[in-house]
């Protein structure tokens, strides 16, 4: 192409010089012949440029370029090929865009594209149905102005989008939506919203069922326990085989009461919002009282229970909930540590936040069980749990309480050596005295 171009240029110059030489030979005025030739060449070049400009201005896809020869012919041909290539590529791109738009239009899930400031750029028809977005008037508006729920604003602004958010739809309160936000490109956001109303309803039914059954079982159980206690006060008037049976019944009734209390506490933790404007809790004092209870639980198994707590470090939240979570961890450490073992409780602050660690020298847990420990009724070994009188709900309660206090649980354990359960809270939850 480069060689063609050079060849055409050389040919054109030779032609010009040849023409000028011929006119010079005929007229004898070589200088004038050269001047006239150059002016003529300049005029022809300007004419080609004018034709090119007109062709570019018309800019109709099927319009072939003007005919020309030499260098200008090459320029016209190359420009025409570039234009055809560009049209073909644009066509291919448009068909990809059409297919993507067609598939997102058919999607039941809402897809919303937001710029780096959270302004709406594009959305599919499902977003209009689920979120009430309207084209074109909502384009360019901040998403927070259209989905006004405070939890959405908090979730969006937090920048932490690993977990999805579940909210009622702004256009229909009976629709439950799951928001997932993904970051891409230049800090733009892709928001996918799914209708999970059916799942939400089933989940709600499960929660209500468990809460209602637990509640309904409580009264008959209190009556049974009451009668058993009264009967146990009169064992001397009974046939000799009865007291043992009554004692076992009383013990099992106690376990059932414990189980129902845990189920009701979990139902409450799931059903209610975290306490607003939570007051700071003196964790060190709370841990002292839990330590005394743990010492009583250990009784003649003589565990060495130590406590190192920063008395100036407070935690915003509900004292009752925190007591329940921390005592579950400490009592587990006592339950799953053989007699004479060590239990170490620590409460401290670092640049990452506030931390509570409960370390024991007990039986430990195999690593394959760790991811499932906080599931309801999950037990590493059911025989082990029934010996210790556990319900299998303790760590589920811990997880829920921590979630409500923006904390998380970390478990490290070595079978035969012991375990460390650590609760991490963000600095925003901690205060100092
Ligand atoms: P449980 O009421 O059975 O103790 P949890 O939810 O508190 O239920 O604990 C779940 C399971 O985790 C327990 O059954 C036990 O096997 C294991 N586990 C919890 N804490 C410890 C610990 N400190 N050491 C060893 N195993 C533990």
């Amino acid at each position: 192409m480069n060689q063609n171009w050079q060849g055409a240029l050389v040919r054109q110059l030779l032609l010009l010089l040849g023409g000028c030489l011929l006119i010079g030979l005929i007229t004898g005025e070589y200088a004038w012949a050269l001047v006239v030739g150059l002016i003529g060449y300049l005029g022809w070049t300007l004419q080609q440029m004018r034709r090119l400009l007109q062709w570019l201005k018309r800019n109709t896809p099927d319009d072939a370029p003007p005919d020309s020869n030499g260098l200008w012919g090459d320029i016209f041909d190359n420009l025409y090929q570039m234009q055809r290539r560009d049209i073909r590529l644009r066509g291919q791109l448009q068909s990809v865009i059409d297919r993507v738009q067609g598939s997102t239009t058919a999607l039941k899930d809402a897809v919303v594209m937001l710029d780096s400031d959270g302004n709406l750029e594009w959305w599919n028809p499902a977003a209009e149905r689920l979120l009430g977005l309207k084209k074109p008037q909502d384009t360019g508006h901040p998403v927070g102005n259209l989905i006004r729920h405070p939890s959405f604003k908090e979730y969006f602004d937090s920048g932490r989008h690993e977990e999805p958010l579940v909210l009622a739809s702004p256009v229909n309160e009976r629709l439950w939506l799951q928001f997932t936000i993904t970051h891409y490109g230049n800090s733009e956001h892709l928001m996918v919203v799914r209708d999970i109303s059916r799942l939400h309803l089933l989940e709600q039914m499960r929660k209500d069922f468990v809460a209602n059954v637990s509640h309904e079982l409580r009264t008959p159980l209190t009556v049974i326990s009451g009668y058993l206690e009264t009967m146990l006060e009169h064992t001397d008037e009974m046939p000799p085989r009865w007291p043992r049976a009554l004692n076992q019944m009383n013990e099992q009734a106690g376990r059932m009461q414990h189980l129902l209390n845990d189920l009701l506490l979990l139902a409450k933790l799931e059903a209610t919002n975290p306490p607003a404007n939570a007051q700071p809790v003196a964790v060190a004092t709370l841990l002292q009282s839990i330590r005394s209870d743990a010492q009583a639980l250990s009784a003649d198994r003589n565990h060495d229970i130590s406590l190192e707590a920063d008395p100036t470090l407070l935690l915003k939240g509900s004292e009752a909930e925190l007591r329940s979570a921390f005592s579950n961890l400490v009592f587990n450490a006592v339950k799953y540590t053989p007699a004479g073992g060590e239990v170490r409780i620590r409460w401290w602050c670092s640049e990452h936040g506030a931390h509570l660690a409960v370390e024991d020298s007990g039986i430990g847990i195999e690593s394959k069980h760790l991811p499932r420990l906080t599931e309801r009724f999950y037990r590493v070994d059911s025989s082990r749990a029934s010996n210790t009188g556990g319900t299998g709900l303790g760590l589920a309660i811990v997880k829920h309480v921590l979630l409500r206090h923006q904390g998380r649980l970390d478990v490290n354990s070595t079978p035969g050596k012991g375990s460390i359960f650590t609760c991490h809270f963000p600095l925003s939850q901690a205060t100092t005295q």
Side-chain angles (χ1 to χ4, degrees):
M1 174 120 157
N2 201 19
Q3 279 195 345
N4 280 351
W5 182 84
Q6 281 175 348
L9 187 68
V10 169
R11 263 197 310 280
Q12 240 164 46
L13 284 175
L14 285 177
L15 206 66
L16 176 68
L17 286 176
C20 293
L21 200 67
L22 196 68
I23 297 171
L25 269 174
I26 296 167
T27 59
E29 297 282 351
Y30 289 97
W32 278 111
L34 192 63
V35 170
V36 169
L38 283 175
I39 290 174
Y41 185 72
L42 190 67
W44 178 76
T45 304
L46 286 173
Q47 161 78 354
Q48 299 308 315
M49 283 169 84
R50 192 180 61 82
R51 292 173 72 201
L52 174 65
L53 204 65
Q54 278 173 348
W55 177 65
L56 287 176
K57 273 189 183 162
R58 279 203 300 276
N59 195 25
T60 41
D62 295 327
D63 189 10
D67 271 337
S68 186
N69 39 35
L71 197 57
W72 281 101
D74 273 0
I75 291 174
F76 288 152
D77 281 351
N78 281 319
L79 277 174
Y80 187 55
Q81 272 166 26
M82 267 169 65
Q83 193 196 41
R84 306 291 319 164
R85 215 171 29 240
D86 189 41
I87 290 170
R88 207 174 47 245
L89 284 177
R90 259 193 289 168
Q92 282 170 357
L93 204 64
Q94 190 57 48
S95 87
V96 172
I97 291 173
D98 288 348
R99 270 167 42 208
V100 171
Q101 280 198 339
S103 52
T104 49
T105 303
L107 266 183
K108 286 196 180 120
D109 299 341
V111 181
V112 183
M113 286 166 87
L114 306 161
D115 67 13
S116 52
D117 297 325
N119 299 323
L120 294 161
E121 278 188 334
W122 178 89
W123 57 89
N124 66 348
E128 303 188 1
R129 189 169 48 81
L130 296 178
L131 302 171
L133 303 184
K134 289 187 187 68
K135 266 183 196 150
Q137 58 265 47
D138 291 339
T139 309
H141 283 274
V143 65
N145 286 4
L146 298 149
I147 307 170
R148 290 178 164 271
H149 201 291
S151 321
F152 179 81
K153 192 171 161 26
E154 194 182 313
Y155 176 70
F156 191 82
D157 293 345
S158 73
R160 281 180 278 118
H161 302 140
E162 302 83 28
E163 293 290 320
L165 172 76
V166 176
L167 271 188
S169 159
V171 281
N172 180 353
E173 277 192 359
R174 282 166 48 193
L175 283 184
W176 280 88
L177 307 177
Q178 184 187 55
F179 292 77
T180 316
I181 296 179
T182 314
H183 297 245
Y184 71 97
N186 199 9
S187 336
E188 284 115 331
H189 308 79
L190 181 73
M191 186 165 82
V192 179
V193 185
R194 294 181 68 191
D195 179 358
I196 53 154
S197 308
R198 235 181 91 73
L199 208 70
H200 189 265
L201 188 72
L202 285 173
E203 180 76 352
Q204 199 56 46
M205 278 164 64
R206 179 196 60 81
K207 285 180 192 166
D208 289 350
F209 177 77
V210 174
N212 289 339
V213 167
S214 313
H215 194 74
E216 291 301 322
L217 284 176
R218 223 170 161 178
T219 318
L221 198 60
T222 315
V223 174
I224 293 171
S225 296
Y227 277 120
L228 282 172
E229 270 168 33
T230 318
M231 286 163 88
L232 278 170
E233 281 166 17
H234 301 93
T235 43
D236 42 342
E237 298 162 26
M238 291 175 191
R241 284 165 62 191
W242 281 36
R244 190 164 167 265
L246 285 176
N247 264 321
Q248 275 189 5
M249 283 162 77
N250 195 35
E251 203 179 290
Q252 293 302 326
R255 269 196 76 191
M256 271 175 84
Q257 244 158 357
H258 189 187
L259 185 67
L260 290 183
N261 287 343
D262 277 1
L263 279 172
L264 281 169
L265 176 60
L266 261 177
K268 195 179 125 209
L269 292 176
E270 277 185 333
T272 57
N273 288 327
N277 303 325
Q279 292 301 310
V281 176
V283 176
T285 320
L286 181 67
L287 290 174
Q288 264 164 17
S289 130
I290 293 175
R291 180 177 172 264
S292 314
D293 294 347
Q295 206 81 64
L297 179 72
S298 165
D300 52 4
R301 289 165 68 218
N302 275 328
H303 290 98
D304 173 11
I305 307 174
S306 64
L307 170 65
E308 299 154 39
D310 178 349
T312 60
L313 179 60
L314 311 180
L315 187 67
K316 284 187 240 161
S318 148
E319 177 160 355
E321 288 180 18
L322 292 173
R323 173 183 285 277
S324 174
F326 296 165
S327 53
N328 264 311
L329 292 178
V330 177
F331 295 170
N332 272 351
V334 172
K335 280 194 300 188
Y336 299 110
T337 301
E342 259 181 70
V343 174
R344 199 169 160 218
I345 311 166
R346 281 174 299 142
W347 168 243
W348 78 102
C349 190
S350 74
E351 74 261 38
H352 305 296
H355 316 270
L356 173 99
V358 180
E359 187 175 351
D360 65 54
S361 60
I363 53 178
I365 309 160
E366 273 184 68
S367 58
K368 67 174 182 198
H369 297 292
L370 297 182
R372 298 193 58 193
L373 273 192
T374 54
E375 281 175 24
R376 270 157 225 232
F377 297 113
Y378 186 81
R379 281 152 173 182
V380 170
D381 171 355
S382 53
S383 59
R384 187 205 275 185
S386 58
N387 285 343
T388 56
T391 61
L393 294 171
L395 292 178
I397 292 175
V398 173
K399 179 180 140 185
H400 273 85
V401 170
L402 293 193
L403 268 180
R404 287 160 69 89
H405 291 78
Q406 285 149 49
R408 71 182 165 83
L409 182 67
D410 199 20
V411 188
N412 273 301
S413 191
T414 317
K417 288 206 163 155
S419 319
I420 311 179
F421 287 75
T422 317
C423 310
H424 302 281
F425 299 96
L427 275 176
S428 55
Q429 284 291 114
T431 53
T432 43
Q433 232 167 13

